[in-house]
Amino acid sequence: MSRRALTLLLAGLLVLALGVVGAFRPVPYVVLSPGPTENTIGDVEKKPVISIKGRETYPTSGSLSLVTVAYQGGPAAQIDLLTALRGWIDPTVAVVPEETIFAPNSDPGQVEEENAVEMTNSQDSATAAALTELKIPYEMVVTIVSTEKGKPAEGKLRKDDQITAVDGKPAKDVDVVADMVKAHKPGEDVVFTIARGKDKLDVTVRTVADPEGQSLVGVRMQAMYKFPFDVDINVGDVGGPSAGLMFSLGILDKLTPGELTGGKQIAGTGTIDPKGEVGPIGGIPQKMVGARDAGATVFLTPPDNCAEAMKSVPDGLRLVKADTLHDAVLALDALRNGQGNVPACAAG
């Protein structure tokens, strides 16, 4: 073999070796793919997803399915370049920069804790929204789950403190408390009125700026409710807040005579607050694929996700816009009765 041929061969082998090594190097991306669906009026692992005790319930039919997004990657287990490349050529998945899913320098344990808190909040908000729709009264109090190490609230506010007011104004829910803190400039004081056991205290905490320049004190909060009967939701390892709308519909279906779905396979997504307002979520293309693969023909969609959903809706899946829980109930009533006045998503 000539020296030139040998040089070319060695160079080719070196390029190949570098390519193989590079293909398995970790990259800061996350692959999003369709995750499992769960019928909120059905069972998971032989247990009802929604169990209600202390109140009369009624038979249901069809499905009201929550949808999820599975992901590969993240701070704890970065994917390699080859996995990212496979994702880029698969139309049913998305490959996104890691920072769009996880906060910079986020701790995996903290992410799991936040997802668990968001899921618990979502379930409670869903129950509250269903009871609000049915005009059944309940009580709510904002409770501190934990304080962040090194932040101003550490050592001043405690786990299980109940926030009753901020700067003298009632703490109506978690979002209201967060907004009242953000209304301050970084470096200003916030006065929390709290119930700690049998004591009522005013605690002053100075705000600091988050990476976006908004004020925070470093607390994780959760709305704690006192409902007139027990509602237990069992979804296994699913985390995050995006199943709120479907939880509410499942609770409503069980608490009211008649069958909300009319036997249809309904899926959907969206956060929900105690008033029944539906909020946007992420991963809508992957969630629609998962819904259609599970047999759904109707997909309840938050209004702020409609434009994105219209760009990639799978064949055979009808998008129904759900601004509120009440609107979603009216839409399902219309579908069940064969009426045409069902709010649809429109391309943005």
Side-chain angles (χ1 to χ4, degrees):
M1 181 179 293
S2 68
R3 179 177 297 178
R4 181 177 180 182
L6 181 59
T7 300
L8 289 173
L9 176 61
L10 291 174
L13 290 173
L14 179 60
V15 169
L16 178 61
L18 290 173
V20 171
V21 171
F24 292 99
R25 288 184 63 83
V27 292
Y29 288 90
V30 176
V31 175
L32 306 178
S33 58
T37 64
E38 297 291 354
N39 179 13
T40 61
I41 52 176
D43 295 342
V44 57
E45 296 180 355
K46 298 182 180 180
K47 295 182 179 180
V49 173
I50 297 173
S51 300
I52 299 173
K53 296 179 181 179
R55 187 86 175 190
E56 184 177 6
T57 58
Y58 300 88
T60 61
S61 69
S63 63
L64 288 165
S65 294
L66 63 87
V67 287
T68 65
V69 174
Y71 72 86
Q72 292 176 272
Q78 284 190 318
I79 61 172
D80 56 41
L81 180 60
L82 190 60
T83 300
L85 290 172
R86 283 199 300 264
W88 272 313
I89 63 176
D90 186 339
T92 68
V93 306
V95 181
V96 298
E98 188 176 284
E99 63 265 22
T100 64
I101 306 295
F102 301 96
N105 302 315
S106 60
D107 175 74
Q110 180 181 329
V111 171
E112 283 190 18
E113 180 185 347
E114 289 174 352
N115 281 339
V117 170
E118 285 183 337
M119 172 54 79
T120 300
N121 286 342
S122 174
Q123 293 172 2
D124 287 341
S125 294
T127 303
L131 269 59
T132 298
E133 177 72 11
L134 295 172
K135 297 181 172 53
I136 299 172
Y138 57 88
E139 297 178 30
M140 185 279 295
V141 64
V142 177
T143 303
I144 294 177
V145 176
S146 63
T147 59
E148 294 184 51
K149 189 174 182 179
K151 295 294 191 295
E154 186 183 19
K156 292 191 171 186
L157 299 174
R158 301 177 186 173
K159 183 178 184 297
D160 296 328
D161 281 351
Q162 296 181 348
I163 301 173
T164 59
V166 178
D167 297 325
K169 298 177 182 178
K172 295 181 179 179
D173 60 43
V174 171
D175 291 337
V176 167
V177 173
D179 288 343
M180 286 193 285
V181 172
K182 290 177 183 177
H184 286 267
K185 294 179 181 178
E188 292 183 344
D189 288 340
V190 183
V191 179
F192 294 90
T193 302
I194 62 169
R196 180 178 294 165
K198 296 180 179 180
D199 298 327
K200 184 176 181 179
L201 309 170
D202 284 335
V203 180
T204 300
V205 183
R206 180 153 294 181
T207 61
V208 294
D210 69 9
E212 297 178 355
Q214 293 185 317
S215 291
L216 59 77
V217 296
V219 293
R220 296 189 184 91
M221 299 172 290
Q222 181 175 332
M224 301 294 288
Y225 294 88
K226 294 181 181 179
F227 298 120
F229 49 87
D230 293 334
V231 178
D232 183 62
I233 300 177
N234 165 45
V235 286
D237 294 331
V238 176
S242 66
L245 172 61
M246 302 313 293
F247 287 146
S248 287
L249 288 170
I251 294 165
L252 271 174
D253 199 10
K254 291 199 166 197
L255 288 175
T256 52
E259 298 173 344
L260 192 57
T261 68
K264 294 185 184 330
Q265 306 301 305
I266 312 291
T269 190
T271 65
I272 202 157
D273 68 17
K275 299 185 294 291
E277 297 286 335
V278 177
I281 49 76
I284 193 81
Q286 289 72 45
K287 289 180 177 179
M288 291 189 299
V289 171
R292 191 69 189 96
D293 288 348
T297 57
V298 174
F299 192 83
L300 299 171
T301 312
D304 290 344
N305 289 118
C306 270
E308 181 185 8
M310 287 290 292
K311 295 175 183 177
S312 55
V313 57
D315 291 340
L317 191 65
R318 180 178 183 177
L319 300 185
V320 173
K321 185 173 68 168
D323 293 78
T324 66
L325 174 61
H326 185 69
D327 291 336
V329 172
L330 292 179
L332 293 179
D333 287 344
L335 288 170
R336 187 178 63 253
N337 296 322
Q339 299 171 358
N341 55 335
V342 178
C345 279

